[in-house]
Amino acid sequence: MTLSELQKNYMLGFGRFVSSIIQEDWDWWTYFDGPERVGKSHGSIWFAHFVSGPLYNIKQHTCYDAETFLRLVDDTPRYGTIILDEAAEAWFNRDFQSSINKALGKASTQIGDRNLNVILNLPSIWLLDPVAIRRHKTRVSVSAPGFRRGKSEWYKPSWKRFQKQVDPFWDLKFIQYSPPLPEKQFLIYKEHKTREAKERLAGYVDQVHAAREKEKPEVTADEIIVQIGKLRGKSKQLLLGPRGDYGRSLVKNKFGCADNVAREVCDVLNAKMRVLRKQKGED
């Protein structure tokens, strides 16, 4: 950032103001909202540095899920900043809204005691419940008019006393274009975000597979009996117990069926085997 840009940087001045406030035993909550790829993350990282300086580290204090956020409330140094950069999480995870609101509720008192600066990056502020919205002291609406990223409109919420409100009056304080991050900082951020995204994506894949397995219809005894009838040699022998009868647990483990289904299969097949043995004895 050039000297000229610094002189015109309202966000820098506001960041220094917030820094002085939290050092007087307060906390501060800021929500950056806007569509994907308009510059929320870059703007929030600039603001984190302006408020907390060297106390903020991109890799250590930027998170993407509620569990890591709760851990950082304990691990982040006093007067430091936590960025919950979870726009992708909100898009892919149906449980996002409930999990993050619960995390914010659990952590709110502790955040105040530790005088932290908390930044949430959201596609929409309405992903938060009204109680969470009331905690914030600044709302930053980010856009990219004319495909120029980084336009941020900084609002102060104004709540009417003694009235029930879901949405406050948004009092516009200033407009700031955030410059791109320095190349070194950008590469650190990109590497961290990519690694975290891969881990989250693996988790989503596991969730999808688990859901599909859950949705599979229960296999019936008749279907299993047909499948066993097609087995030959060792494959069939593996389902027989020491006495030469079909074992309930062996059938259950092989076909992943319910206990009562496996018992029915064994009753039918063992009855057939007894009849065949009797016939051979009579012959």
Side-chain angles (χ1 to χ4, degrees):
M1 188 177 296
T2 66
L3 178 61
S4 175
E5 288 173 326
L6 284 171
Q7 290 170 341
K8 298 176 183 178
N9 196 321
Y10 300 108
M11 183 166 54
L12 171 61
F14 184 64
R16 289 175 174 173
F17 165 75
V18 171
S19 179
S20 66
I21 292 296
I22 62 176
Q23 292 183 46
E24 294 177 5
D25 200 24
W26 296 94
D27 60 354
W28 201 274
W29 298 65
T30 301
Y31 302 137
F32 283 71
D33 67 350
E36 285 289 315
R37 302 186 63 77
V38 295
K40 295 189 300 295
S41 298
H42 286 229
S44 63
I45 290 172
W46 276 115
F47 188 53
H49 281 298
F50 293 155
V51 173
S52 299
L55 295 178
Y56 170 72
N57 180 286
I58 291 177
K59 285 186 177 181
Q60 295 177 10
H61 305 126
T62 304
C63 60
Y64 298 86
D65 57 76
E67 292 75 16
T68 308
F69 175 79
L70 288 172
R71 177 181 60 78
L72 287 180
V73 171
D74 287 326
D75 294 347
T76 301
R78 195 176 186 189
Y79 312 129
T81 293
I82 301 172
I83 295 179
L84 180 58
D85 191 20
E86 75 333 303
E89 189 79 9
W91 180 264
F92 287 111
N93 190 349
R94 284 193 223 173
D95 297 328
F96 159 77
Q97 191 164 351
S98 60
S99 65
I100 188 56
N101 282 312
K102 289 177 183 177
L104 294 176
K106 290 178 183 178
S108 58
T109 301
Q110 201 169 352
I111 288 169
D113 291 341
R114 305 199 62 246
N115 312 123
L116 297 176
N117 176 46
V118 176
I119 300 173
L120 306 183
N121 293 334
L122 306 164
S124 169
I125 196 172
W126 303 117
L127 287 168
L128 300 173
D129 63 33
V131 176
I133 292 174
R134 281 188 172 273
R135 290 194 183 100
H136 81 281
K137 296 181 174 68
T138 309
R139 176 183 179 180
V140 185
S141 182
V142 186
S143 59
F147 300 100
R148 182 187 173 192
R149 294 186 177 96
K151 181 182 180 182
S152 57
E153 300 173 3
W154 293 68
Y155 294 90
K156 176 184 176 182
S158 179
W159 299 92
K160 293 181 180 179
R161 297 183 67 189
F162 313 119
Q163 291 192 23
K164 184 178 180 180
Q165 287 179 271
V166 176
D167 188 14
F169 171 73
W170 304 105
D171 186 9
L172 179 62
K173 291 302 182 182
F174 63 88
I175 296 175
Q176 178 77 57
Y177 266 91
S178 303
L181 291 173
E183 184 177 3
K184 182 179 179 180
Q185 295 293 306
F186 173 72
L187 292 176
I188 292 172
Y189 166 72
K190 187 175 181 180
E191 177 188 358
H192 177 60
K193 183 176 182 178
T194 300
R195 183 177 64 252
E196 294 290 325
K198 287 180 179 179
E199 292 179 1
R200 292 199 311 278
L201 182 59
Y204 299 142
V205 171
D206 290 341
Q207 290 176 18
V208 170
H209 287 169
R212 286 178 177 173
E213 288 295 325
K214 192 174 181 180
E215 291 172 359
K216 283 183 179 179
E218 184 70 37
V219 63
T220 66
D222 289 340
E223 290 171 338
I224 294 176
I225 290 170
V226 171
Q227 292 183 50
I228 292 177
K230 296 177 181 179
L231 298 178
R232 295 292 182 270
K234 187 175 181 181
S235 297
K236 182 174 286 190
Q237 291 296 321
L238 291 174
L239 298 176
L240 302 177
R243 299 173 57 185
D245 294 336
Y246 286 95
R248 177 175 51 82
S249 60
L250 298 173
V251 171
K252 181 179 177 181
N253 292 335
K254 169 70 175 177
F255 296 98
C257 60
D259 190 77
N260 62 317
V261 174
R263 183 180 291 108
E264 183 180 351
V265 170
C266 293
D267 289 345
V268 171
L269 293 179
N270 288 333
K272 288 183 178 180
M273 288 180 65
R274 285 194 292 272
V275 170
L276 291 173
R277 288 170 182 166
K278 186 176 181 181
Q279 291 175 347
K280 288 181 179 180
E282 291 177 349
D283 292 338

